[in-house]
Each structure stands twice: as structure tokens, then as C-alpha cells.
Amino acid sequence: MKTLKLLLLLVVLPLFNSCGLKPISSEYTFVKTDIDHVNIDELGDGNVLIYSGANILHTVDNTARLNVWIDNIPLGQIRPSEYAILNFKPKAYQFKLLHIDFVNMKSEHTVEIDKNTKVIMIKPTVTSNKLEVTNQLPPKFEKYKYAEKR
């Protein structure tokens, strides 16, 4: 019985790691900020916070990493509990999101950025990806960290 459990563990562990998505290099300039100074009232007028809303189901099996392109320019990879702040000009932008869950899960979303756009939540789902303009900081935002350029 112990051998069977060990064998099952050796088969399942590589499957979880196989869902790891390699990061893409960002060609954007992030608006550098300190987490203590992120205030919803200071966002807008082009400054937009983009965060990962991945839940525990995706973080457990390593499928929560999202590669993001905006108008075919790589933003980079946003991991669970990470965010980035970018400065946009008012117009419609095409977001492409990719995460791996045994297969590539790609989605495209058109987002109209205007002076009132403050916060965008992106997250992987079971069958695709979700993008939503929430204009609210996520719960427990103090636990989020600024996304690194990878």
C-alpha cells in the first residue's frame, strides 16, 4: 500500500509542475509604486492597476500564471497576488491572456480605457480566462506585491 501511494505521488507531482507557464519579457514601462501608497483615488486618468484574481484552485496546481499582451505588445507574466500599474491613453485596447492547464488556454478581450478606468482584474478559469474592469482593489490587497519584470 505504501509503495502504491509513493508511485501515485511520483506520477501526480510532475503533472502539477507541467502546468508551469514560462514568463514573457515585458516591453512596457511599469508605473513604480509602493504598496503602502496604492490608493484607489490616485488611480484613473490613465493610471490603471491590473491584478491577478486567481483563486486557490489555480494556485495549487500551478496554473495561475497569466501571460498578458496588450495590443500585441507583451506586458509580461502576472502571478497570483501580483499587480502592475500602467499608464494608458484613452482608447480601446486588445488584451490577450494565456495560461496553461494541460493545454494552452487563450482568450482575447477588448477593453475601453477612459479617465474613469482604475482597476482591471484578470484570472484563469477552467475553460478560458476572465478579464473584468472592477474599479475596486481586491480583498486583502495588502498581501499583493508588485509584479517583477521577468
Side-chain angles (χ1 to χ4, degrees):
M1 185 67 171
K2 189 169 181 125
T3 307
L4 181 62
K5 286 182 183 179
L6 182 62
L7 182 63
L8 184 62
L9 183 66
L10 290 174
V11 169
V12 170
L13 277 178
L15 289 176
F16 284 138
N17 284 332
S18 68
C19 295
L21 180 64
K22 289 185 175 31
I24 56 174
S25 297
S26 178
E27 293 183 22
Y28 277 88
T29 302
F30 292 6
V31 176
K32 212 46 172 152
T33 185
D34 185 15
I35 194 166
D36 295 334
H37 298 102
V38 175
N39 184 343
I40 192 75
D41 297 327
E42 295 173 0
L43 297 171
D45 289 326
N47 287 326
V48 178
L49 183 140
I50 301 170
Y51 75 92
S52 172
N55 60 29
I56 191 71
L57 295 175
H58 286 284
T59 56
V60 167
D61 66 357
N62 206 19
T63 60
R65 299 173 183 179
L66 281 163
N67 283 350
V68 181
W69 291 262
I70 303 171
D71 287 345
N72 291 319
I73 300 171
L75 169 64
Q77 188 175 83
I78 306 283
R79 294 180 178 181
S81 299
E82 285 188 343
Y83 70 94
I85 298 176
L86 298 173
N87 191 289
F88 292 97
K89 292 181 178 163
K91 71 171 197 163
Y93 289 88
Q94 188 69 29
F95 282 70
K96 289 183 186 177
L97 306 176
L98 167 71
H99 86 275
I100 295 180
D101 196 351
F102 294 110
V103 295
N104 288 344
M105 300 285 195
K106 296 179 185 178
S107 64
E108 292 190 22
H109 312 266
T110 302
V111 179
E112 184 72 37
I113 304 284
D114 60 21
K115 66 178 185 153
N116 298 317
T117 308
K118 297 181 178 190
V119 179
I120 297 174
M121 183 267 306
I122 57 173
K123 74 178 195 176
T125 65
V126 174
T127 57
S128 185
N129 303 295
K130 181 178 180 179
L131 183 146
E132 182 180 349
V133 177
T134 64
N135 288 337
Q136 297 178 22
L137 293 177
K140 300 182 182 178
F141 184 68
E142 65 278 359
K143 294 185 178 182
Y144 280 67
K145 64 181 181 181
Y146 205 81
E148 299 175 21
K149 277 198 166 190
R150 294 178 178 88

